[in-house]
């Protein structure tokens, strides 16, 4: 058994101009099939729901969400008024923590005195409360690429297919820097930036809106694995000489469909010829950078 390493990495802040945080790299992903991305027919929100949305109430504001998603919404809404704090919510357990100073944002100077959440810290807490498991422990980028996704939506789809509990992500040029929880009725709850509190906002689906992801509270097939290390590249084939596909800036939850013996690699003091296939990235990674034994338990051999 190789020793493993655990660490929160790549949690970035925002500038006031950017009004976002958690700057991390994002590999492009294609939208799910129309059948996956289009929700089943639902009734229009009731008059009380429309009234609540108009009043800025933080709650489930539309029908169609799963029980887990509704719990996540209400857990996030329970934090309304709590400070935004850069790096907050990334302690050993989900929940508000004191933050850090973001050198690029003077508004964060008091964040070490403010117990609260950054954007991904709030999302982590909401789904931990909803599922009883810490399934979204990581940055906004890793949350957006989670193996616990049951559907994905591209930016061009707007809010039409979204349900309460879906996660809206923001970024430009392949980098996700902010994430929020959709409430329905065009509203979302977010930890937005230093100097503010957890708040209800209009769902922003223009500008740098990158799309949304729906979370399945059940364990994802092939999920439950994590990378370790920093700036770790995946490849088009099970070889370091093949094309680079995607770089993990830090530890990231990943789904693995199968593994195989291929090129032997020596890195970080280990030598291993096992490689794992990551279907969400359509790429291979040496098992050296997957937490666990050299040959992963319970993962089938690739055909």
């Amino acid at each position: 058994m190789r020793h493993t390493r655990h660490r929160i990495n790549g949690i970035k802040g925002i500038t006031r101009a950017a009004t976002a945080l958690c700057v991390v790299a994002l590999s492009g992903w294609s939208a799910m099939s129309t059948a996956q991305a289009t929700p089943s027919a639902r009734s229009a929100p009731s008059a009380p729901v429309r009234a609540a949305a108009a009043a800025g109430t933080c709650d489930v504001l539309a029908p169609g969400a799963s029980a887990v998603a509704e719990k996540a919404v209400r857990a996030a809404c329970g934090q309304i008024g709590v400070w935004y704090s850069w790096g907050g919510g990334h302690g050993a357990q989900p929940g508000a923590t004191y933050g850090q100073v973001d050198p690029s944002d003077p508004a964060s100077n008091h964040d070490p005195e403010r117990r609260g959440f950054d954007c991904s810290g709030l999302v982590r807490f909401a789904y931990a409360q909803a599922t009883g498991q810490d399934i979204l422990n990581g940055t906004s980028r890793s949350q957006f690429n989670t193996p616990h996704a049951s559907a994905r939506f591209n930016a061009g789809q707007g809010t039409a297919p979204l349900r309460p509990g879906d996660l809206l992500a923001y970024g430009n040029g392949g980098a996700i820097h902010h994430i929020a929880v959709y409430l329905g009725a065009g509203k979302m709850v977010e930890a937005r930036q230093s100097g503010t509190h957890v708040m209800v906002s209009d769902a922003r689906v223009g500008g740098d809106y990158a799309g949304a992801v729906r979370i399945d509270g059940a364990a994802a097939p092939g999920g439950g694995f994590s990378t370790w290390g920093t700036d770790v590249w995946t490849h088009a084939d099970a070889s370091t000489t093949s094309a680079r596909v995607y770089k993990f800036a830090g530890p990231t939850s990943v789904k693995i469909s199968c593994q195989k013996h291929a090129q032997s690699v020596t890195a970080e003091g280990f030598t291993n010829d096992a490689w794992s296939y990551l279907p969400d990235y359509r790429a291979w990674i040496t098992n050296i950078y997957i937490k666990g034994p050299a040959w992963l338990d319970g993962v089938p051999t690739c055909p």
Side-chain angles (χ1 to χ4, degrees), residues 14-20 102 104-108 114 192-196:
I14 57 167
T15 63
R16 279 182 173 269
T19 62
D102 173 7
S104 69
D105 184 9
S108 72
R114 293 168 175 164
R192 189 167 183 177
Q193 66 186 73
S194 292
T196 67

Side-chain angles (χ1 to χ4, degrees), residues 63-157:
S66 68
V68 165
E70 289 191 352
K71 288 180 181 178
V73 165
R74 291 185 172 122
C77 286
Q79 304 306 304
I80 289 289
V82 173
W83 278 109
Y84 173 96
S85 191
W86 185 55
H90 293 282
Q93 299 297 325
T97 62
Y98 291 101
Q100 307 167 38
V101 173
D102 173 7
S104 69
D105 184 9
S108 72
N109 288 343
H110 292 288
D111 284 5
E113 306 159 24
R114 293 168 175 164
R115 187 175 178 86
F117 298 97
D118 64 17
C119 67
S120 53
L122 179 65
V123 166
R124 176 196 182 193
F125 171 78
Y127 270 92
Q129 291 291 299
T131 64
Q133 303 176 68
D134 194 10
I135 64 171
L136 294 179
N137 181 9
T139 62
S140 55
R141 183 273 317 223
S142 65
Q143 290 171 344
F144 189 48
N145 287 292
T146 175
H148 296 279
S150 62
R152 295 185 181 277
F153 310 95
N154 62 45
Q157 292 175 278

Side-chain angles (χ1 to χ4, degrees), residues 33-58:
S33 67
T34 301
Q36 291 171 299
T38 303
S40 57
R42 313 191 291 279
S43 60
S46 65
V49 164
R50 291 195 299 271
T57 299
C58 193

Side-chain angles (χ1 to χ4, degrees), residues 16 22 27 49 51 53 57 91 95 110 119 146 153 167 172 189 193 199-200 202 204 267-268 273 295:
R16 279 182 173 269
C22 312
S27 167
V49 164
T57 299
H110 292 288
C119 67
T146 175
F153 310 95
L167 305 181
N172 279 319
V189 57
Q193 66 186 73
M199 67 179 77
V200 173
D202 291 333
R204 301 181 294 276
E268 309 290 346
D273 70 348
W295 184 258

Side-chain angles (χ1 to χ4, degrees), residues 248-275:
F248 290 114
T252 303
S253 296
V254 292
K255 181 192 303 181
I256 296 174
S257 60
C258 64
Q259 60 188 332
K260 69 178 181 180
H261 295 287
Q263 180 194 34
S264 181
V265 176
T266 298
E268 309 290 346
F270 303 104
T271 298
N272 195 354
D273 70 348
W275 287 73

